[in-house]
Amino acid sequence: MAQIMMMTLMVGPEGKILEKHIGIRDAIRKNFDEGTPPAVAATHVAAALMSYAIEQDDDTVRKQIVEQLLAQWSVLGPAEQREISRQLTGGTLNQDMLLTRCQWLLIRGQDLLMEEKIELHDFRILKDSIYGPLKGEPSNTRMLDRVDEALDAAFGPRV
């Protein structure tokens, strides 16, 4: 936790959320204290940060639009999805920054998944931490849904 806090001192006031938000604090403690691989830990921390940022946005219309655009983007092929990265680095991207952040995290998560640095479960947590708050779903509901999915995967669907 101390190393994360040191690294985020220059982030600005938003960096203080690392200490105050229980989900972020727990993700950091759980992942780093238990020796979780750095890519997995970073994915969980990024998921918690993104979830919090989306939940703090009171503009439900904006979130609905971003969710729709993100859904449209998600069905594109990998090369088309990555065009966002090229436009961002080239300074030609003209879209809502919330959408850009979501796309960026999903691309990075896909990369980590393809490189086998995270598991599918970790990527699902990241996706859920983006799509869930965009849809207005509370975090406790999303967590219970993931537990149900994991149980179904392990033991089969309930009858």
Side-chain angles (χ1 to χ4, degrees):
M1 180 70 167
Q3 289 176 348
I4 291 288
M5 295 307 298
M6 175 85 87
M7 291 173 63
T8 58
L9 282 176
M10 300 307 289
V11 172
E14 294 81 11
K16 298 213 180 280
I17 194 67
L18 292 172
E19 289 179 322
K20 295 178 181 173
H21 188 275
I22 192 160
I24 296 168
R25 194 174 60 232
D26 288 351
I28 292 169
R29 186 173 297 113
K30 177 182 180 265
N31 289 292
F32 286 103
D33 291 351
E34 294 179 5
T36 301
V40 174
T43 301
H44 288 219
V45 170
L49 283 168
M50 194 68 217
S51 177
Y52 179 78
I54 296 169
E55 289 167 354
Q56 296 308 300
D57 188 340
D58 293 332
D59 189 343
T60 55
V61 173
R62 177 186 185 207
K63 290 195 275 191
Q64 289 172 347
I65 292 169
V66 167
E67 194 271 327
Q68 282 180 320
L69 293 171
L70 194 59
Q72 292 169 4
W73 171 84
S74 70
V75 297
L76 297 174
E80 293 172 299
Q81 287 181 347
R82 292 183 184 283
E83 181 60 30
I84 296 301
S85 297
R86 286 186 283 283
Q87 290 175 8
L88 183 62
T89 56
T92 61
L93 187 61
N94 185 19
Q95 66 180 25
D96 188 312
M97 195 51 143
L98 177 59
L99 175 61
T100 303
R101 289 180 182 137
C102 294
Q103 291 167 326
W104 183 264
L105 280 175
L106 290 170
I107 287 171
R108 298 303 150 235
Q110 289 171 354
D111 289 346
L112 292 173
L113 184 62
M114 297 302 286
E115 294 167 5
E116 298 182 356
K117 292 183 178 179
I118 64 171
E119 300 287 328
L120 184 57
H121 172 74
D122 302 308
F123 184 71
R124 284 184 178 154
I125 289 172
L126 179 63
K127 279 181 60 176
D128 181 59
S129 296
I130 293 171
Y131 282 99
L134 286 173
K135 293 177 182 179
E137 297 171 354
S139 62
N140 58 346
T141 302
R142 296 190 320 265
M143 182 181 65
L144 290 174
D145 289 345
R146 282 196 307 270
V147 169
D148 283 346
E149 287 175 13
L151 290 173
D152 288 348
F155 302 109
R158 288 178 267 167
V159 181

